[in-house]
Amino acid sequence: MERIPGYSGKWLSGRRKDRNAVLRTFERDKDELRSLGVPIETVPAPARFGAEDEAGYRRTTRDLYMPYLRLLAGSAGGDGDVDGTGAGSGSEDGAATRKGRTSETASGPRRWSTGAPRVDHGAVEIHEDEAAAALQGLAHVAALPGFPLAPEARSAFRKLAFDLDPARLVETSVLFLPPPGRGASGPTMEALVDGLIRRKRVAFRYHGIRRAETTDRSLEPYGLFVRFGRWYLAGREVARADVRVFRADRMEDVGVNPREPNTPDFEVPGDFDLAALAGRRPWELDRGEARPVEVRLRFPFPASRLAARNRLGEAVGECADGSQVRSLTVGDTESLVRWVLGLGGDAEIVSPDRLVRELRSSAGKVADLHAPAAGPLRENDLG
Amino acid sequence: MAERRAKRRRPWAQERTEARFPARRAAEKQAGAAARLERIFYILPRVFQEGGAILSDLAAELDVPKETVAKDLRELIERSYDHLAGLGDDIRITLEGDRVQVFTTGSFRRPVRLSLREAVCLGLGLRLAALSPSLACDERREALRTRLEESLASPSPPGSAPGDLLRRFEAPELEGDPMGAREILLRGATERKVCMLTYLKPGAPEPEERRIRPYTLAHAEGRWYVLAHCEVAGAVRAFRLDRVASVVLQDEAFETPEDFDASMHLGKNRVFHARDVLHARVRYSPVIARWLAERHEGQWDLDGGFLVHHEVADPQWIVRHVLQYAGEAELLEPEELRKQVREAASRIVLSTGA
């Protein structure tokens, strides 16, 4: 510790309090390096002239640095070697081409050599279509509005771009627009991701839109997903012991449990299925109905073609006029009725009768609300 | 009593707050140091590889001010003369004006391996590779993800591998493409090939065939769109992908006009081209006003309702928008659109057998 600037001052004071502070800083620094991708191994190291072992740390060069990415033309299963070097050793002379340069110049002409042995970083072969997918995928991830790991996506892109030429491989034809209104703040998303990755409980103030009240919540975060452009956190609410979903842009004052930072607070249950949760349509949420209800909708032609294409429920019958009846399992019938209304006649509810009446009643309310404004009696109003 | 109740409601938050402020300051300091270290891990091999670099280029690549990069390098240069712990390899950094050069016998000739978070991003990006024309097959993408994670990522402890953490993120609208329309249109946009579209406009009696030149795809509020030149319209139009009944890639190529500007067809948050814009005023009742106030700019009225002025390119859109609120939204003007809402609602009433 006495040899490292930043530690040596306090360490050399000899005071226990100062040395404990240095040790805590050292532990944080070690964790930080690991989080940046620097692998630090804990190994026994001889101390007191070999009389005993104490904890030592090391990192191996091969585990620290990225291997070379060697680009092969075409797709996997084809043949081809873009850079023509044929080298596979992974030494610097075998580097994949970048921006059309040959391997001889890729290392740069101004290398200062003391004759020290070169390091073998290893090499990984990657086909052109795989490289394009990797770079393009990272570019898309970095462009997602509100995505909390966008900086990491960009830095991963830069690392891959050391050996792969993005100008040749990436051609983005996708735009992502942020949702309207205020999105979740950067610190909110960073705290949620931190809690998610380290499996630490998060606490926050939540503005519930249904009851229009703000309450304190504590959650074991199981997953983050994006729907309709907005980020949602799913997890087990500590006070209620059931899995809930919260919208990130309605959270404030998010904190991660600071106790025992290197020890997870919980395990994610093996049967937790984030994909299923995230993929539910609004009427599939468990809200309002004691048990899910089977609802049948009739889609007239040509809307029936879209309903089939978009896999809305299961088809149960097709009519000669091209219309189709489809069955949906619904947890929130109010949401479903409003959705059908919003289709403007592209679907109608066949059963249950209760929902047919609700649809009629709701549509009637809209018609009444939009009745012509009363005004001077006009000739056309008379029978 | 009220104070005791408040404490009971927020026990964890209370101690969290007390613990957090000191931790936050340390965390912010740490984040600054970590960000600097990350930049240095990038700059050293990058500059070495290129035989030198200009500060402004590095700053642009890192998306930070030039002064930040200069400060990072100056601090590193100062420390390189102070090797109390000793370095295994020599590194020499020179900064002359705007140009930096790095000489190294071994260390930092390559970028460091992907961190856990970077590897998670790579995995997520490959899951979104359905957005890329190459690698359409799920199995191939997963095999590639596994191979790259094993070879490029820093070793991680069991249970905390990038693949494990990838399951904690989902983007269903971005990954799913059950009928493959998005993949085909993306190929059309990337390879600049004409596509034949079968498209159902809202309220249209039957789908229409359209020959389009897809320029770009856009994702807004959970929906996918393609911005394309439509030969029928003779202009650029936006097509919603969930209204595409079928799409076929043609062999015919096209060139994207140099003056094509996607922003002309995009509002701040939605796909929208203000060609012939209608203006509609809608009042949302107090029951639903707060949801709308989250999304739209508007005015509160004295009764707790929320008034929004909408710009409307398609009358069908505003009619359906108002319908879905089941009487909690009223289209105030123009009268012509009010009539359309009334008629659409009346048709629904009749269709229910009233």
Side-chain angles (χ1 to χ4, degrees), chain B residues 102-143:
Chain B
V102 169
F103 306 94
T104 166
T105 59
S107 293
F108 298 111
R109 288 181 166 185
R110 295 285 299 158
V112 297
R113 283 174 172 263
L114 298 179
S115 67
L116 177 64
R117 291 181 174 210
E118 288 168 346
V120 168
C121 291
L122 177 60
L124 193 56
L126 285 171
R127 273 192 3 212
L128 299 189
L131 296 177
S132 299
S134 61
L135 274 194
C137 168
D138 284 350
E139 286 78 20
R140 275 196 64 206
R141 283 204 299 276
E142 179 58 20

mmCIF file of all heavy atoms in Angstrom, chain B residues 102-143:
data_model
loop_
_atom_site.group_PDB
_atom_site.id
_atom_site.type_symbol
_atom_site.label_atom_id
_atom_site.label_comp_id
_atom_site.label_asym_id
_atom_site.label_seq_id
_atom_site.Cartn_x
_atom_site.Cartn_y
_atom_site.Cartn_z
ATOM 1 N N VAL B 102 1.519 7.394 -28.135
ATOM 2 C CA VAL B 102 1.759 6.430 -27.055
ATOM 3 C C VAL B 102 2.796 5.425 -27.538
ATOM 4 O O VAL B 102 2.697 4.906 -28.652
ATOM 5 C CB VAL B 102 0.451 5.689 -26.688
ATOM 6 C CG1 VAL B 102 0.731 4.504 -25.765
ATOM 7 C CG2 VAL B 102 -0.532 6.632 -26.019
ATOM 8 N N PHE B 103 3.776 5.181 -26.703
ATOM 9 C CA PHE B 103 4.774 4.153 -26.969
ATOM 10 C C PHE B 103 4.701 3.144 -25.833
ATOM 11 O O PHE B 103 4.780 3.512 -24.667
ATOM 12 C CB PHE B 103 6.175 4.758 -27.039
ATOM 13 C CG PHE B 103 6.280 5.880 -28.023
ATOM 14 C CD1 PHE B 103 6.114 7.196 -27.610
ATOM 15 C CD2 PHE B 103 6.497 5.622 -29.362
ATOM 16 C CE1 PHE B 103 6.193 8.232 -28.522
ATOM 17 C CE2 PHE B 103 6.576 6.663 -30.277
ATOM 18 C CZ PHE B 103 6.424 7.970 -29.861
ATOM 19 N N THR B 104 4.551 1.886 -26.180
ATOM 20 C CA THR B 104 4.449 0.879 -25.130
ATOM 21 C C THR B 104 5.112 -0.398 -25.601
ATOM 22 O O THR B 104 5.030 -0.768 -26.768
ATOM 23 C CB THR B 104 2.984 0.608 -24.748
ATOM 24 O OG1 THR B 104 2.916 -0.590 -23.969
ATOM 25 C CG2 THR B 104 2.097 0.426 -25.954
ATOM 26 N N THR B 105 5.784 -1.062 -24.689
ATOM 27 C CA THR B 105 6.457 -2.311 -25.027
ATOM 28 C C THR B 105 5.520 -3.502 -24.901
ATOM 29 O O THR B 105 5.813 -4.577 -25.379
ATOM 30 C CB THR B 105 7.664 -2.565 -24.124
ATOM 31 O OG1 THR B 105 7.197 -2.615 -22.763
ATOM 32 C CG2 THR B 105 8.697 -1.458 -24.267
ATOM 33 N N GLY B 106 4.413 -3.324 -24.255
ATOM 34 C CA GLY B 106 3.535 -4.488 -24.085
ATOM 35 C C GLY B 106 2.155 -4.129 -23.599
ATOM 36 O O GLY B 106 1.157 -4.503 -24.202
ATOM 37 N N SER B 107 2.072 -3.359 -22.530
ATOM 38 C CA SER B 107 0.764 -3.091 -21.949
ATOM 39 C C SER B 107 -0.068 -2.161 -22.821
ATOM 40 O O SER B 107 0.464 -1.311 -23.530
ATOM 41 C CB SER B 107 0.920 -2.441 -20.572
ATOM 42 O OG SER B 107 1.483 -3.348 -19.668
ATOM 43 N N PHE B 108 -1.341 -2.360 -22.772
ATOM 44 C CA PHE B 108 -2.322 -1.441 -23.362
ATOM 45 C C PHE B 108 -2.155 -1.281 -24.875
ATOM 46 O O PHE B 108 -2.410 -0.222 -25.428
ATOM 47 C CB PHE B 108 -2.288 -0.074 -22.665
ATOM 48 C CG PHE B 108 -2.650 -0.173 -21.219
ATOM 49 C CD1 PHE B 108 -1.705 0.036 -20.237
ATOM 50 C CD2 PHE B 108 -3.930 -0.547 -20.841
ATOM 51 C CE1 PHE B 108 -2.038 -0.089 -18.895
ATOM 52 C CE2 PHE B 108 -4.269 -0.677 -19.502
ATOM 53 C CZ PHE B 108 -3.310 -0.445 -18.532
ATOM 54 N N ARG B 109 -1.772 -2.341 -25.516
ATOM 55 C CA ARG B 109 -1.782 -2.308 -26.979
ATOM 56 C C ARG B 109 -3.140 -2.752 -27.498
ATOM 57 O O ARG B 109 -3.416 -2.617 -28.691
ATOM 58 C CB ARG B 109 -0.716 -3.261 -27.524
ATOM 59 C CG ARG B 109 0.680 -2.728 -27.315
ATOM 60 C CD ARG B 109 1.694 -3.671 -27.894
ATOM 61 N NE ARG B 109 2.983 -3.014 -27.994
ATOM 62 C CZ ARG B 109 4.042 -3.561 -28.560
ATOM 63 N NH1 ARG B 109 3.964 -4.772 -29.083
ATOM 64 N NH2 ARG B 109 5.181 -2.917 -28.616
ATOM 65 N N ARG B 110 -3.943 -3.346 -26.635
ATOM 66 C CA ARG B 110 -5.274 -3.819 -27.008
ATOM 67 C C ARG B 110 -6.272 -3.238 -26.027
ATOM 68 O O ARG B 110 -5.933 -2.937 -24.876
ATOM 69 C CB ARG B 110 -5.323 -5.358 -26.922
ATOM 70 C CG ARG B 110 -4.438 -6.088 -27.896
ATOM 71 C CD ARG B 110 -5.011 -6.048 -29.292
ATOM 72 N NE ARG B 110 -6.322 -6.675 -29.367
ATOM 73 C CZ ARG B 110 -7.195 -6.397 -30.336
ATOM 74 N NH1 ARG B 110 -6.907 -5.508 -31.270
ATOM 75 N NH2 ARG B 110 -8.374 -6.985 -30.363
ATOM 76 N N PRO B 111 -7.536 -3.126 -26.446
ATOM 77 C CA PRO B 111 -8.545 -2.713 -25.463
ATOM 78 C C PRO B 111 -8.732 -3.823 -24.433
ATOM 79 O O PRO B 111 -8.450 -4.995 -24.739
ATOM 80 C CB PRO B 111 -9.816 -2.540 -26.309
ATOM 81 C CG PRO B 111 -9.576 -3.297 -27.564
ATOM 82 C CD PRO B 111 -8.109 -3.356 -27.788
ATOM 83 N N VAL B 112 -9.187 -3.461 -23.258
ATOM 84 C CA VAL B 112 -9.463 -4.493 -22.265
ATOM 85 C C VAL B 112 -10.725 -5.247 -22.680
ATOM 86 O O VAL B 112 -11.521 -4.765 -23.483
ATOM 87 C CB VAL B 112 -9.641 -3.918 -20.846
ATOM 88 C CG1 VAL B 112 -8.362 -3.265 -20.379
ATOM 89 C CG2 VAL B 112 -10.790 -2.959 -20.765
ATOM 90 N N ARG B 113 -10.883 -6.412 -22.124
ATOM 91 C CA ARG B 113 -12.027 -7.245 -22.464
ATOM 92 C C ARG B 113 -13.344 -6.556 -22.090
ATOM 93 O O ARG B 113 -13.369 -5.609 -21.307
ATOM 94 C CB ARG B 113 -11.928 -8.581 -21.718
ATOM 95 C CG ARG B 113 -10.922 -9.516 -22.341
ATOM 96 C CD ARG B 113 -10.739 -10.771 -21.519
ATOM 97 N NE ARG B 113 -9.911 -11.716 -22.237
ATOM 98 C CZ ARG B 113 -10.380 -12.724 -22.973
ATOM 99 N NH1 ARG B 113 -11.678 -12.938 -23.034
ATOM 100 N NH2 ARG B 113 -9.562 -13.524 -23.608
ATOM 101 N N LEU B 114 -14.404 -7.078 -22.655
ATOM 102 C CA LEU B 114 -15.717 -6.515 -22.357
ATOM 103 C C LEU B 114 -16.046 -6.720 -20.885
ATOM 104 O O LEU B 114 -15.880 -7.811 -20.345
ATOM 105 C CB LEU B 114 -16.803 -7.197 -23.207
ATOM 106 C CG LEU B 114 -16.672 -7.051 -24.713
ATOM 107 C CD1 LEU B 114 -17.817 -7.801 -25.404
ATOM 108 C CD2 LEU B 114 -16.701 -5.589 -25.134
ATOM 109 N N SER B 115 -16.527 -5.638 -20.257
ATOM 110 C CA SER B 115 -16.992 -5.756 -18.875
ATOM 111 C C SER B 115 -18.315 -6.515 -18.881
ATOM 112 O O SER B 115 -18.902 -6.778 -19.939
ATOM 113 C CB SER B 115 -17.199 -4.366 -18.271
ATOM 114 O OG SER B 115 -18.276 -3.725 -18.945
ATOM 115 N N LEU B 116 -18.794 -6.820 -17.710
ATOM 116 C CA LEU B 116 -20.057 -7.546 -17.588
ATOM 117 C C LEU B 116 -21.173 -6.777 -18.297
ATOM 118 O O LEU B 116 -21.936 -7.329 -19.095
ATOM 119 C CB LEU B 116 -20.391 -7.724 -16.104
ATOM 120 C CG LEU B 116 -21.718 -8.400 -15.781
ATOM 121 C CD1 LEU B 116 -21.736 -9.831 -16.264
ATOM 122 C CD2 LEU B 116 -21.978 -8.376 -14.270
ATOM 123 N N ARG B 117 -21.270 -5.486 -18.029
ATOM 124 C CA ARG B 117 -22.362 -4.693 -18.609
ATOM 125 C C ARG B 117 -22.214 -4.582 -20.128
ATOM 126 O O ARG B 117 -23.201 -4.603 -20.856
ATOM 127 C CB ARG B 117 -22.390 -3.311 -17.987
ATOM 128 C CG ARG B 117 -22.818 -3.313 -16.523
ATOM 129 C CD ARG B 117 -22.846 -1.920 -15.978
ATOM 130 N NE ARG B 117 -23.385 -1.900 -14.624
ATOM 131 C CZ ARG B 117 -24.043 -0.885 -14.109
ATOM 132 N NH1 ARG B 117 -24.265 0.195 -14.825
ATOM 133 N NH2 ARG B 117 -24.486 -0.925 -12.868
ATOM 134 N N GLU B 118 -20.965 -4.429 -20.571
ATOM 135 C CA GLU B 118 -20.749 -4.343 -22.025
ATOM 136 C C GLU B 118 -21.155 -5.654 -22.690
ATOM 137 O O GLU B 118 -21.753 -5.663 -23.769
ATOM 138 C CB GLU B 118 -19.281 -4.021 -22.318
ATOM 139 C CG GLU B 118 -18.883 -2.590 -21.990
ATOM 140 C CD GLU B 118 -17.386 -2.385 -22.002
ATOM 141 O OE1 GLU B 118 -16.636 -3.396 -22.004
ATOM 142 O OE2 GLU B 118 -16.955 -1.221 -21.975
ATOM 143 N N ALA B 119 -20.833 -6.763 -22.040
ATOM 144 C CA ALA B 119 -21.190 -8.064 -22.609
ATOM 145 C C ALA B 119 -22.711 -8.260 -22.605
ATOM 146 O O ALA B 119 -23.265 -8.856 -23.533
ATOM 147 C CB ALA B 119 -20.509 -9.194 -21.837
ATOM 148 N N VAL B 120 -23.390 -7.759 -21.593
ATOM 149 C CA VAL B 120 -24.857 -7.829 -21.579
ATOM 150 C C VAL B 120 -25.416 -7.037 -22.765
ATOM 151 O O VAL B 120 -26.340 -7.473 -23.447
ATOM 152 C CB VAL B 120 -25.421 -7.280 -20.248
ATOM 153 C CG1 VAL B 120 -26.933 -7.082 -20.334
ATOM 154 C CG2 VAL B 120 -25.098 -8.231 -19.104
ATOM 155 N N CYS B 121 -24.832 -5.863 -23.018
ATOM 156 C CA CYS B 121 -25.274 -5.048 -24.154
ATOM 157 C C CYS B 121 -25.066 -5.792 -25.463
ATOM 158 O O CYS B 121 -25.915 -5.740 -26.360
ATOM 159 C CB CYS B 121 -24.517 -3.715 -24.200
ATOM 160 S SG CYS B 121 -24.944 -2.594 -22.865
ATOM 161 N N LEU B 122 -23.934 -6.463 -25.592
ATOM 162 C CA LEU B 122 -23.672 -7.222 -26.817
ATOM 163 C C LEU B 122 -24.731 -8.308 -26.985
ATOM 164 O O LEU B 122 -25.280 -8.502 -28.072
ATOM 165 C CB LEU B 122 -22.278 -7.841 -26.759
ATOM 166 C CG LEU B 122 -21.886 -8.734 -27.941
ATOM 167 C CD1 LEU B 122 -21.911 -7.958 -29.252
ATOM 168 C CD2 LEU B 122 -20.504 -9.346 -27.722
ATOM 169 N N GLY B 123 -25.046 -9.000 -25.877
ATOM 170 C CA GLY B 123 -26.073 -10.043 -25.944
ATOM 171 C C GLY B 123 -27.428 -9.474 -26.322
ATOM 172 O O GLY B 123 -28.151 -10.028 -27.143
ATOM 173 N N LEU B 124 -27.775 -8.350 -25.734
ATOM 174 C CA LEU B 124 -29.063 -7.730 -26.038
ATOM 175 C C LEU B 124 -29.076 -7.250 -27.480
ATOM 176 O O LEU B 124 -30.071 -7.394 -28.192
ATOM 177 C CB LEU B 124 -29.299 -6.565 -25.075
ATOM 178 C CG LEU B 124 -30.706 -5.979 -25.024
ATOM 179 C CD1 LEU B 124 -31.722 -7.046 -24.702
ATOM 180 C CD2 LEU B 124 -30.779 -4.883 -23.976
ATOM 181 N N GLY B 125 -27.958 -6.701 -27.916
ATOM 182 C CA GLY B 125 -27.867 -6.253 -29.296
ATOM 183 C C GLY B 125 -28.049 -7.400 -30.270
ATOM 184 O O GLY B 125 -28.708 -7.250 -31.303
ATOM 185 N N LEU B 126 -27.499 -8.561 -29.956
ATOM 186 C CA LEU B 126 -27.674 -9.712 -30.845
ATOM 187 C C LEU B 126 -29.106 -10.221 -30.798
ATOM 188 O O LEU B 126 -29.615 -10.727 -31.789
ATOM 189 C CB LEU B 126 -26.692 -10.819 -30.473
ATOM 190 C CG LEU B 126 -25.257 -10.535 -30.901
ATOM 191 C CD1 LEU B 126 -24.295 -11.552 -30.308
ATOM 192 C CD2 LEU B 126 -25.128 -10.540 -32.419
ATOM 193 N N ARG B 127 -29.774 -10.074 -29.639
ATOM 194 C CA ARG B 127 -31.201 -10.436 -29.599
ATOM 195 C C ARG B 127 -31.983 -9.508 -30.501
ATOM 196 O O ARG B 127 -32.954 -9.893 -31.128
ATOM 197 C CB ARG B 127 -31.740 -10.357 -28.170
ATOM 198 C CG ARG B 127 -31.520 -11.634 -27.425
ATOM 199 C CD ARG B 127 -32.219 -11.827 -26.139
ATOM 200 N NE ARG B 127 -33.115 -10.863 -25.670
ATOM 201 C CZ ARG B 127 -33.314 -10.613 -24.378
ATOM 202 N NH1 ARG B 127 -32.612 -11.258 -23.476
ATOM 203 N NH2 ARG B 127 -34.191 -9.737 -23.986
ATOM 204 N N LEU B 128 -31.568 -8.250 -30.564
ATOM 205 C CA LEU B 128 -32.227 -7.298 -31.452
ATOM 206 C C LEU B 128 -31.729 -7.431 -32.879
ATOM 207 O O LEU B 128 -32.098 -6.630 -33.731
ATOM 208 C CB LEU B 128 -31.973 -5.863 -30.984
ATOM 209 C CG LEU B 128 -32.460 -5.471 -29.599
ATOM 210 C CD1 LEU B 128 -32.319 -3.969 -29.408
ATOM 211 C CD2 LEU B 128 -33.898 -5.882 -29.378
ATOM 212 N N ALA B 129 -30.855 -8.414 -33.112
ATOM 213 C CA ALA B 129 -30.314 -8.575 -34.457
ATOM 214 C C ALA B 129 -31.404 -8.954 -35.448
ATOM 215 O O ALA B 129 -31.165 -8.981 -36.638
ATOM 216 C CB ALA B 129 -29.178 -9.588 -34.478
ATOM 217 N N ALA B 130 -32.623 -9.222 -34.930
ATOM 218 C CA ALA B 130 -33.746 -9.344 -35.858
ATOM 219 C C ALA B 130 -33.948 -8.020 -36.577
ATOM 220 O O ALA B 130 -34.601 -7.945 -37.599
ATOM 221 C CB ALA B 130 -35.018 -9.725 -35.117
ATOM 222 N N LEU B 131 -33.365 -6.969 -36.023
ATOM 223 C CA LEU B 131 -33.443 -5.683 -36.679
ATOM 224 C C LEU B 131 -32.396 -5.564 -37.779
ATOM 225 O O LEU B 131 -32.365 -4.582 -38.496
ATOM 226 C CB LEU B 131 -33.212 -4.548 -35.669
ATOM 227 C CG LEU B 131 -34.262 -4.424 -34.564
ATOM 228 C CD1 LEU B 131 -33.870 -3.316 -33.608
ATOM 229 C CD2 LEU B 131 -35.618 -4.137 -35.152
ATOM 230 N N SER B 132 -31.507 -6.521 -37.855
ATOM 231 C CA SER B 132 -30.465 -6.465 -38.881
ATOM 232 C C SER B 132 -30.764 -7.496 -39.947
ATOM 233 O O SER B 132 -31.195 -8.596 -39.645
ATOM 234 C CB SER B 132 -29.098 -6.760 -38.271
ATOM 235 O OG SER B 132 -28.781 -5.807 -37.296
ATOM 236 N N PRO B 133 -30.487 -7.152 -41.191
ATOM 237 C CA PRO B 133 -30.781 -8.103 -42.259
ATOM 238 C C PRO B 133 -29.990 -9.397 -42.134
ATOM 239 O O PRO B 133 -30.470 -10.459 -42.504
ATOM 240 C CB PRO B 133 -30.364 -7.349 -43.529
ATOM 241 C CG PRO B 133 -30.385 -5.924 -43.160
ATOM 242 C CD PRO B 133 -30.034 -5.859 -41.715
ATOM 243 N N SER B 134 -28.761 -9.308 -41.592
ATOM 244 C CA SER B 134 -27.966 -10.530 -41.483
ATOM 245 C C SER B 134 -28.385 -11.302 -40.245
ATOM 246 O O SER B 134 -28.974 -10.748 -39.331
ATOM 247 C CB SER B 134 -26.482 -10.172 -41.391
ATOM 248 O OG SER B 134 -26.227 -9.381 -40.256
ATOM 249 N N LEU B 135 -28.078 -12.543 -40.205
ATOM 250 C CA LEU B 135 -28.307 -13.371 -39.020
ATOM 251 C C LEU B 135 -29.757 -13.405 -38.575
ATOM 252 O O LEU B 135 -30.100 -13.035 -37.461
ATOM 253 C CB LEU B 135 -27.449 -12.878 -37.838
ATOM 254 C CG LEU B 135 -26.032 -13.416 -37.765
ATOM 255 C CD1 LEU B 135 -25.446 -13.135 -36.410
ATOM 256 C CD2 LEU B 135 -26.002 -14.913 -37.992
ATOM 257 N N ALA B 136 -30.628 -13.844 -39.464
ATOM 258 C CA ALA B 136 -32.041 -13.880 -39.118
ATOM 259 C C ALA B 136 -32.371 -15.026 -38.180
ATOM 260 O O ALA B 136 -33.375 -15.014 -37.489
ATOM 261 C CB ALA B 136 -32.870 -14.004 -40.398
ATOM 262 N N CYS B 137 -31.492 -16.015 -38.127
ATOM 263 C CA CYS B 137 -31.840 -17.238 -37.405
ATOM 264 C C CYS B 137 -31.523 -17.104 -35.917
ATOM 265 O O CYS B 137 -30.398 -16.733 -35.542
ATOM 266 C CB CYS B 137 -31.043 -18.392 -38.026
ATOM 267 S SG CYS B 137 -31.067 -19.901 -37.084
ATOM 268 N N ASP B 138 -32.500 -17.414 -35.060
ATOM 269 C CA ASP B 138 -32.319 -17.311 -33.606
ATOM 270 C C ASP B 138 -31.171 -18.178 -33.106
ATOM 271 O O ASP B 138 -30.387 -17.753 -32.258
ATOM 272 C CB ASP B 138 -33.608 -17.761 -32.885
ATOM 273 C CG ASP B 138 -34.684 -16.699 -32.959
ATOM 274 O OD1 ASP B 138 -34.374 -15.585 -33.388
ATOM 275 O OD2 ASP B 138 -35.835 -17.001 -32.599
ATOM 276 N N GLU B 139 -31.074 -19.389 -33.641
ATOM 277 C CA GLU B 139 -30.048 -20.316 -33.141
ATOM 278 C C GLU B 139 -28.653 -19.789 -33.446
ATOM 279 O O GLU B 139 -27.739 -19.878 -32.635
ATOM 280 C CB GLU B 139 -30.218 -21.715 -33.773
ATOM 281 C CG GLU B 139 -31.390 -22.517 -33.234
ATOM 282 C CD GLU B 139 -32.714 -22.084 -33.818
ATOM 283 O OE1 GLU B 139 -32.724 -21.452 -34.893
ATOM 284 O OE2 GLU B 139 -33.757 -22.374 -33.195
ATOM 285 N N ARG B 140 -28.515 -19.233 -34.641
ATOM 286 C CA ARG B 140 -27.184 -18.720 -35.018
ATOM 287 C C ARG B 140 -26.808 -17.527 -34.149
ATOM 288 O O ARG B 140 -25.664 -17.375 -33.742
ATOM 289 C CB ARG B 140 -27.175 -18.300 -36.489
ATOM 290 C CG ARG B 140 -26.893 -19.438 -37.433
ATOM 291 C CD ARG B 140 -26.518 -18.931 -38.799
ATOM 292 N NE ARG B 140 -25.280 -18.173 -38.777
ATOM 293 C CZ ARG B 140 -24.969 -17.228 -39.670
ATOM 294 N NH1 ARG B 140 -25.814 -16.918 -40.612
ATOM 295 N NH2 ARG B 140 -23.829 -16.590 -39.595
ATOM 296 N N ARG B 141 -27.810 -16.690 -33.865
ATOM 297 C CA ARG B 141 -27.522 -15.518 -33.031
ATOM 298 C C ARG B 141 -27.120 -15.955 -31.637
ATOM 299 O O ARG B 141 -26.189 -15.413 -31.046
ATOM 300 C CB ARG B 141 -28.751 -14.614 -32.956
ATOM 301 C CG ARG B 141 -28.999 -13.781 -34.181
ATOM 302 C CD ARG B 141 -29.816 -12.558 -33.828
ATOM 303 N NE ARG B 141 -31.113 -12.902 -33.281
ATOM 304 C CZ ARG B 141 -32.179 -13.192 -34.011
ATOM 305 N NH1 ARG B 141 -32.101 -13.192 -35.316
ATOM 306 N NH2 ARG B 141 -33.324 -13.488 -33.441
ATOM 307 N N GLU B 142 -27.810 -16.928 -31.111
ATOM 308 C CA GLU B 142 -27.498 -17.392 -29.758
ATOM 309 C C GLU B 142 -26.124 -18.051 -29.727
ATOM 310 O O GLU B 142 -25.349 -17.849 -28.790
ATOM 311 C CB GLU B 142 -28.590 -18.364 -29.272
ATOM 312 C CG GLU B 142 -28.356 -18.936 -27.886
ATOM 313 C CD GLU B 142 -28.222 -17.883 -26.781
ATOM 314 O OE1 GLU B 142 -28.670 -16.728 -26.971
ATOM 315 O OE2 GLU B 142 -27.637 -18.203 -25.736
ATOM 316 N N ALA B 143 -25.795 -18.803 -30.760
ATOM 317 C CA ALA B 143 -24.473 -19.445 -30.826
ATOM 318 C C ALA B 143 -23.382 -18.374 -30.908
ATOM 319 O O ALA B 143 -22.339 -18.473 -30.257
ATOM 320 C CB ALA B 143 -24.392 -20.372 -32.042
#
